[in-house]
Amino acid sequence: GGEVDGKYILGAFIAGDLEDPATGGRGMKLLEEASNEGSASASLLLSRIHAGEGNRFMAVRMLRRASDQNHPDALLMMGILMLEGDPYVEQDPEAAAGLLQRAMELGNQEAMWTLGSMYLYGIGVPLDLDLAREYLEDGAEHDYTVSVLNLGMIHYQGLGVEKDPREAMRLFEHASKLGSREALTNMAVMYATGDGVKKDVEKARELLTKAKYLGEPRAGRNLDVLDNNIDGVKLTLSFGGKIRELRFEK
């Protein structure tokens, strides 16, 4: 109701008053009252404030409450935590899929794009390449990095479509420009093998070195294979260890 909304708006306005801790404290109290009275926005803001203060336990607790109160962003974030696991959240991909589906139905596009990757690999949902491609193509149109990367995997491996290494390379290049370290590894594999592009081992080495510096797990192994010409060991593509990264802030 209006009183709860008023508490949330005023609490949000004054909670961040770092110059006057007493004022900030009153803001937090108003947010807590609004949260207890059903304000999902207040619960989510409290989660972000606790996260910023390094209090992961309270951040997750308030995030769970905001999710239970059907805030689309909280449903997305709680779904990601359940998908990937967290010290305070049991890993449960099927439950995660349910939360993401609810978030999508409430208009959260990132939830749809995340579900696209889950349908592609059959994580928490049945494998569905058509639905995966539909959701990932939408994400790629909005430059959602993981969608672009995984759409590249679809075209490279021919998952529900004809194999198209050139289109895969185009998508991997785009994903790399959006910040995907996994895409750098995939481009390197293609340059090293001459698959879809002119073979260029030095270019492959350069890309793998960059990916390794950025912490991409498969890059170092691929670099060893490339540098030592290990017989019978193939370079491996990377789709990333996570579907996407959790962000408490927006």
Side-chain angles (χ1 to χ4, degrees):
E3 184 178 348
V4 175
D5 291 340
K7 287 181 180 180
Y8 162 64
I9 292 169
L10 181 59
F13 182 71
I14 65 176
D17 191 344
L18 300 179
E19 295 182 1
D20 185 351
T23 301
R26 286 196 296 273
M28 288 291 288
K29 184 177 180 180
L30 285 170
L31 287 175
E32 287 165 0
E33 289 178 4
S35 170
N36 289 333
E37 292 169 19
S39 171
S41 295
S43 300
L44 184 56
L45 180 54
L46 284 168
S47 174
R48 288 172 172 154
I49 290 172
H50 287 303
E53 294 173 345
N55 189 339
R56 183 80 173 182
F57 172 78
M58 284 302 299
V60 172
R61 180 179 177 183
M62 298 312 300
L63 180 64
R64 191 186 296 275
R65 178 183 291 180
S67 174
D68 291 342
Q69 293 165 333
N70 277 323
H71 194 293
D73 290 348
L75 286 164
L76 168 71
M77 295 165 70
M78 198 68 209
I80 297 299
L81 283 182
M82 283 189 172
L83 179 65
E84 298 174 356
D86 183 87
Y88 300 109
V89 180
E90 184 177 353
Q91 190 171 23
D92 187 340
E94 291 186 4
L99 293 179
L100 293 167
Q101 183 67 34
R102 279 166 56 197
M104 184 181 80
E105 291 167 358
L106 290 170
N108 189 295
Q109 286 182 299
E110 285 190 52
M112 180 177 70
W113 304 335
T114 303
L115 280 167
S117 296
M118 295 172 71
Y119 279 114
L120 178 60
Y121 299 111
I123 300 172
V125 293
L127 186 72
D128 189 330
L129 297 179
D130 291 335
L131 199 55
R133 188 169 70 254
E134 177 187 339
Y135 288 177
L136 292 173
E137 284 176 348
D138 187 85
E141 287 177 6
H142 291 82
D143 282 346
Y144 191 66
T145 307
V146 177
S147 292
V148 178
L149 174 70
N150 282 327
L151 194 58
M153 296 293 283
I154 282 177
H155 286 284
Y156 185 80
Q157 297 181 326
L159 302 174
V161 298
E162 288 207 16
K163 292 182 70 171
D164 189 345
R166 290 189 178 184
E167 176 64 5
M169 174 59 84
R170 184 189 72 79
L171 289 163
F172 290 151
E173 285 181 338
H174 187 42
S176 73
K177 290 174 183 176
L178 294 172
S180 170
R181 60 190 187 181
E182 292 84 8
L184 293 171
T185 291
N186 294 350
M187 290 165 61
V189 171
M190 296 179 73
Y191 275 114
T193 58
D195 191 359
V197 292
K198 184 179 179 180
K199 187 172 182 177
D200 188 336
V201 175
E202 286 307 312
K203 178 71 172 177
R205 184 174 288 107
E206 174 188 330
L207 290 167
L208 287 172
T209 300
K210 182 176 180 180
K212 181 180 178 181
Y213 174 77
L214 293 173
E216 207 289 287
R218 289 174 176 80
R221 176 193 174 282
N222 281 330
L223 199 55
D224 289 341
V225 173
L226 199 64
D227 286 341
N228 296 299
N229 296 314
I230 302 174
D231 291 334
V233 179
K234 293 183 178 180
L235 299 174
T236 55
L237 291 170
S238 178
F239 61 88
K242 295 186 176 182
I243 297 294
R244 60 149 279 174
E245 294 293 331
L246 172 70
R247 296 193 307 273
F248 272 98
E249 67 282 355
K250 286 289 286 181

